[in-house]
Amino acid sequence: TGGKLHIAHGNELGIFTSGGFNFQAKFESTDSEAAIIIEDSGSTNDGNRIGVISDSMTFTTANEEHMRIDSSGRVLVNHTTARQVSGGNALIHIESNNSEGRINIVQNRNEAASAGFLSLGKSRGTSVGASTIVQNGDVLGTISFAGADGNGMDSQAASIVGICDGTAGANDMPGALLFMTSDDGSNNPTEF
């Protein structure tokens, strides 16, 4: 049999059983946050918790929020609100006020041919997992360099763009790299 654990505001505890093998724990609060607090043995205030605030799931360590999954499914690291960079939103957003605002990709392997790997890809399909063939001139991936312009982070100074440069086919993907920069007075990079 399955069961449900329901802890409501006011420390009310209820255990409900139901058919099947689904087990659920429900934490309900009338305050601004419902949370699971995780502490070390013998400690009473580690400040580690998983919580829900305004339909966002938060992850806190040492009494400081470090990650949030917002109601749109975006993962925000070291930031509580998504913002546009280079003209668009991202599913993963990392922000920092020190040198940790970065992503490291490292492989430790005893061979010459492998190292850290960043892969950008595109399909013309309209659903997750689609493999519809791309066409000549399609952008396959972009690395964009943006700067704050006093209003936001949408201004692009430069970009490196990978494109399909010919007719693609099975095991055949002709490509080209475009190196683009913005002229003074512009935030729209063009090929140089």
Side-chain angles (χ1 to χ4, degrees):
T1 63
K4 297 180 181 179
L5 171 65
H6 184 185
I7 302 174
H9 181 72
N11 297 321
E12 298 172 6
L13 175 63
I15 299 177
F16 305 94
T17 59
S18 63
F21 294 96
N22 294 323
F23 291 89
Q24 299 178 15
K26 181 177 180 181
F27 298 84
E28 185 176 284
S29 172
T30 57
D31 297 331
S32 61
E33 178 181 8
I36 300 170
I37 297 173
I38 304 167
E39 296 178 347
D40 294 334
S41 176
S43 176
T44 58
N45 190 22
D46 287 342
N48 303 322
R49 67 183 180 275
I50 301 169
V52 176
I53 300 175
S54 301
D55 294 329
S56 293
M57 180 171 283
T58 62
F59 298 84
T60 300
T61 59
N63 288 313
E64 187 174 340
E65 182 181 320
H66 291 288
M67 188 174 78
R68 175 178 292 223
I69 302 173
D70 71 11
S71 59
S72 297
R74 295 175 291 221
V75 177
L76 312 175
V77 178
N78 206 40
H79 198 49
T80 58
T81 306
R83 68 171 171 161
Q84 287 193 348
V85 178
S86 295
N89 287 311
L91 288 177
I92 300 175
H93 183 92
I94 299 171
E95 194 146 334
S96 174
N97 61 356
N98 59 32
S99 63
E100 293 179 344
R102 63 175 79 188
I103 297 173
N104 295 333
I105 303 172
V106 178
Q107 286 187 22
N108 296 290
R109 299 169 67 172
N110 187 14
E111 58 187 32
S114 295
F117 197 92
L118 175 64
S119 182
L120 307 175
K122 177 193 172 114
S123 159
R124 276 195 170 242
T126 57
S127 61
V128 173
S131 294
T132 305
I133 194 167
V134 295
Q135 297 178 11
N136 184 33
D138 280 3
V139 172
L140 304 180
T142 300
I143 301 173
S144 177
F145 302 88
D149 61 4
N151 296 316
M153 204 62 109
D154 284 337
S155 292
Q156 296 183 60
S159 59
I160 301 171
V161 181
I163 66 167
C164 177
D165 190 30
T167 302
N171 300 314
D172 179 15
M173 189 58 57
L177 281 178
L178 309 180
F179 292 85
M180 309 173 81
T181 56
S182 293
D183 293 329
D184 189 19
S186 171
N187 67 350
N188 186 22
T190 56
E191 189 175 3
F192 65 86

